[in-house]
Amino acid sequence: SQKIEQNSEALNIQEGKTATLTCNYTNYSPAYLQWYRQDPGRGPVFLLLIRENEKEKRKERLKVTFDTTLKQSLFHITASQPADSATYLCARVDAGTYKYIFGTGTRLKVLA
Amino acid sequence: DARVTQTPRHKVTEMGQEVTMRCQPILGHNTVFWYRQTMMQGLELLAYFRNRAPLDDSGMPKDRFSAEMPDATLATLKIQPSEPRDSAVYFCASGLIHGDTQYFGPGTRLTVL
């Protein structure tokens, strides 16, 4: 079965630094990978999507990469701020089924 | 500002009772997903619908869980009978077929005593 693995340990970084979160998948490459942000007591909110044939996507301070050789996506937040503190979820979406499989998320804390 | 709504937001019940959770997807969305989130398992897909037809409910315990879409504006998830291990936050999400994202509701926090 398809799996998504994220580092379950919390990531603490200093304000202004770049946060890098990792998402690894198993078996064949998904049609695309998505990244979501989840704050306590709320539902996940979509941030970015990257397709299998794309290497990199950017949106403001966010950047996502997709490496089909390593079977990995990296999510970067540059110039991080305390307001970026949240749990970040990675999801794979497979072609045809459009079924979403989420990782368990990585909790990010940006220290002022 | 279109949003997915879920009711109730919180539910405390006793083991053996029936629980019904409701979701109103964003108007015009034709896919609906039900997820369960726990600390241990993360976000697990229970079932999803496309144009109100159930496409996949393999993530759902069939003996006690059921999911339906009686119409395009309402999706329900029912647990009967409920058990303490069902305690979790249940999320509904909606989106468009071949869409790039899904939009989550605020969730229903279920506690089964």
Side-chain angles (χ1 to χ4, degrees):
Chain A
S1 62
Q2 311 311 324
K3 288 188 178 179
I4 286 284
E5 294 172 352
Q6 294 184 257
N7 189 347
S8 58
E9 291 183 15
L11 177 64
N12 293 337
I13 64 165
Q14 208 63 39
E15 182 177 9
K17 300 291 186 184
T18 295
T20 298
L21 285 67
T22 304
C23 173
N24 295 296
Y25 62 88
T26 60
N27 299 326
Y28 56 85
S29 292
Y32 48 88
L33 287 165
Q34 297 185 340
W35 285 87
Y36 289 76
R37 169 182 172 142
Q38 187 174 23
D39 291 287
R42 294 178 176 267
V45 175
F46 171 76
L47 295 175
L48 274 175
L49 171 153
I50 186 164
R51 300 184 190 281
E52 184 183 9
N53 60 355
E54 297 174 322
K55 296 289 185 190
E56 182 179 298
K57 266 286 192 58
R58 289 176 185 261
K59 179 182 176 183
E60 297 172 353
R61 294 185 296 113
L62 309 180
K63 184 178 85 171
V64 175
T65 63
F66 195 163
D67 188 326
T68 55
T69 301
L70 294 178
K71 296 190 177 182
Q72 182 179 83
S73 174
L74 298 179
F75 176 78
H76 306 272
I77 306 175
T78 58
S80 59
Q81 305 165 359
D84 295 326
S85 299
T87 295
Y88 291 86
L89 302 168
C90 173
R92 66 174 289 155
V93 185
D94 291 323
T97 65
Y98 291 94
K99 182 175 175 178
Y100 290 70
I101 298 175
F102 281 83
T104 52
T106 298
R107 192 165 72 248
L108 171 68
K109 187 168 184 180
V110 181
L111 306 170
Chain B
D1 187 22
R3 297 183 184 192
V4 175
T5 58
Q6 290 186 248
T7 57
R9 293 294 313 277
H10 302 273
K11 176 73 176 178
V12 179
T13 190
E14 293 190 347
M15 183 173 64
Q17 297 297 306
E18 178 179 299
V19 175
T20 298
M21 290 169 270
R22 293 177 174 79
C23 166
Q24 182 171 10
I26 292 173
L27 192 64
H29 281 186
N30 43 26
T31 59
V32 173
F33 303 79
W34 281 106
Y35 294 90
R36 174 172 62 187
Q37 188 173 42
T38 61
M39 289 293 291
M40 293 299 296
Q41 300 297 327
L43 203 58
E44 301 174 279
L45 179 65
L46 296 175
Y48 75 103
F49 295 79
R50 185 182 294 177
N51 290 326
R52 293 178 55 203
L55 278 196
D56 189 327
D57 60 1
S58 58
M60 206 163 64
K62 301 288 192 307
D63 56 339
R64 298 184 300 108
F65 284 58
S66 62
E68 295 180 346
M69 276 202 76
D71 62 61
T73 64
L74 177 64
T76 62
L77 180 66
K78 191 173 294 187
I79 308 174
Q80 168 64 20
S82 57
E83 297 181 1
R85 58 180 167 152
D86 301 328
S87 297
V89 181
Y90 290 80
F91 287 104
C92 173
S94 71
L96 295 170
I97 294 175
H98 307 311
D100 288 348
T101 187
Q102 52 186 303
Y103 297 83
F104 282 80
T108 294
R109 181 174 295 276
L110 173 66
T111 303
V112 183
L113 303 173

